[in-house]
Amino acid sequence: MTQNEWRKRELEDLADFIATENGNDSLPVNVAAIAEENGITYCLGDYQNYFDGMLEYEDSHFHIYINNRGRYNLNTPRIRFSFAHELGHYFIDEHRLALESGKSLHHPSKYCMIQRNPIEKDADYFASCLLMPRSLFVDDCKGEFSFRKLDDLCKRYGTSIPATASRYMDYGSMPIAIVSVNSGIIQYKLFSNDFPYKSLKTDYTNKVPLLTCAGDFFENDVVCDDTEEVDANEWFLTNYDLRGVKIHEHCVYQKQYGQTLSILWFD
Ligand SMILES: [Zn+2]
């Protein structure tokens, strides 16, 4: 195992222990109860675009601020993830000790799928493992992949599609990929380790390939309600001959943000 894999395993074990303490296997994981059991207070408020969450240490006491932008609650997947992320800063020894000794964690936290800051990355991974504990999630990942299955996992664990898909990549029985597109430009892509093709057919502009569900939305305003079959060689650049090979694409549209998320998988 690489050092990075060790670290992930360590965070995963810690999160699993906390989420399922005393044989608790009820889902979705109750983040507020975990805070309360550990003497951490919290509040939700509208902090506009300043931060998603913040863990504060003052007078020997920890408090979590969650930005609900005035409209979300503790059942909203994004809010749950922010809460779990802040709990990560409390439960990860190095983070808590730093706060207790008066150091900053480069806070407040902002959520993004591709984290570069190692402290934020650890807290994100912890959050994902707390909300989707390995000891429960692995069994739920068994069987064939479908969008329906992913959607069921999201509901069962109270997690967003990107967070659930990326956790599924660790334990799912089928390799999948996700591609996020904003205004026609690819924002990020994530692949299961064993996903066969990892180069998307795009150039320096990062424009999403046109003859895909996501491309069709940005180019022609076409919305596909269901999972579609797309030519694999529209999505991927590879030396393999993909003529006639189809890939499943399920595109999730977030029209208000001008954004799509494509989930891709082979049979
Ligand atoms: Zn953070």
Side-chain angles (χ1 to χ4, degrees):
M1 257 199 235
T2 63
Q3 205 181 350
N4 185 35
E5 284 163 346
W6 271 113
R7 179 64 175 164
K8 283 177 86 174
R9 182 43 80 96
E10 198 174 52
L11 294 169
E12 187 174 51
D13 287 347
L14 175 66
D16 205 278
F17 175 78
I18 293 158
T20 61
E21 225 178 333
N22 307 321
N24 183 8
D25 58 1
S26 60
L27 291 170
V29 169
N30 188 337
V31 284
I34 293 173
E36 280 158 19
E37 280 158 21
N38 287 277
I40 307 166
T41 51
Y42 66 89
C43 62
L44 275 69
D46 186 359
Y47 306 105
Q48 285 150 26
N49 283 323
Y50 291 112
F51 61 83
D52 288 325
M54 184 164 62
L55 176 66
E56 186 186 71
Y57 181 71
E58 218 177 88
D59 300 329
S60 315
H61 177 83
F62 284 96
H63 183 81
I64 291 176
Y65 294 88
I66 296 292
N67 187 357
N68 70 355
R69 291 178 166 78
R71 52 180 190 273
Y72 303 118
N73 61 42
L74 283 177
N75 298 319
T76 311
R78 266 284 293 273
I79 298 295
R80 289 171 48 69
F81 195 92
S82 291
F83 204 126
H85 172 108
E86 298 311 320
L87 287 173
H89 288 316
Y90 174 81
F91 284 109
I92 298 168
D93 285 338
E94 297 89 326
H95 299 196
R96 186 184 60 256
L97 293 172
L99 283 168
E100 282 174 341
S101 67
K103 290 188 197 115
S104 135
L105 292 174
H106 310 287
H107 252 189
S109 312
K110 270 257 184 188
Y111 178 75
C112 63
M113 266 314 275
I114 308 295
Q115 275 294 357
R116 309 220 186 268
N117 176 330
I119 289 176
E120 293 302 279
K121 216 172 160 173
D122 276 3
D124 274 352
Y125 192 66
F126 175 92
S128 152
C129 299
L130 186 76
L131 297 174
M132 294 167 272
R134 182 185 60 220
S135 51
L136 305 173
F137 194 73
V138 169
D139 270 349
D140 288 338
C141 282
K142 287 184 180 149
E144 210 165 295
F145 182 82
S146 64
F147 182 74
R148 173 75 187 275
K149 183 177 187 71
L150 180 65
D151 200 40
D152 286 347
L153 288 171
C154 292
K155 290 189 181 108
R156 184 161 154 77
Y157 288 88
T159 44
S160 69
I161 291 175
T164 313
S166 99
R167 185 77 174 131
Y168 179 90
M169 287 174 188
D170 290 338
Y171 292 109
S173 43
M174 285 168 70
I176 63 168
I178 57 175
V179 182
S180 165
V181 182
N182 190 302
S183 308
I185 305 297
I186 296 168
Q187 301 297 301
Y188 69 80
K189 52 194 177 168
L190 290 174
F191 303 94
S192 300
N193 276 336
D194 49 353
F195 198 84
Y197 315 108
K198 291 180 180 163
S199 293
L200 298 184
K201 196 166 146 192
T202 183
D203 57 14
Y204 70 95
T205 61
N206 257 345
K207 209 167 172 241
V208 67
L210 286 185
L211 301 177
T212 60
C213 293
D216 211 14
F217 172 71
F218 290 106
E219 193 67 12
N220 306 312
D221 227 4
V222 172
V223 169
C224 313
D225 289 327
D226 218 334
T227 302
E228 297 288 325
E229 307 293 307
V230 175
D231 288 332
N233 65 13
E234 290 302 331
W235 267 113
F236 303 104
L237 264 185
T238 165
N239 292 328
Y240 292 97
D241 187 357
L242 288 181
R243 275 175 297 181
V245 178
K246 297 280 184 188
I247 188 166
H248 301 289
E249 176 178 1
H250 195 106
C251 193
V252 180
Y253 305 89
Q254 295 174 295
K255 282 189 174 176
Q256 70 272 38
Y257 303 116
Q259 223 163 274
T260 59
L261 184 79
S262 292
I263 298 116
L264 306 170
W265 70 99
F266 289 97
D267 268 332

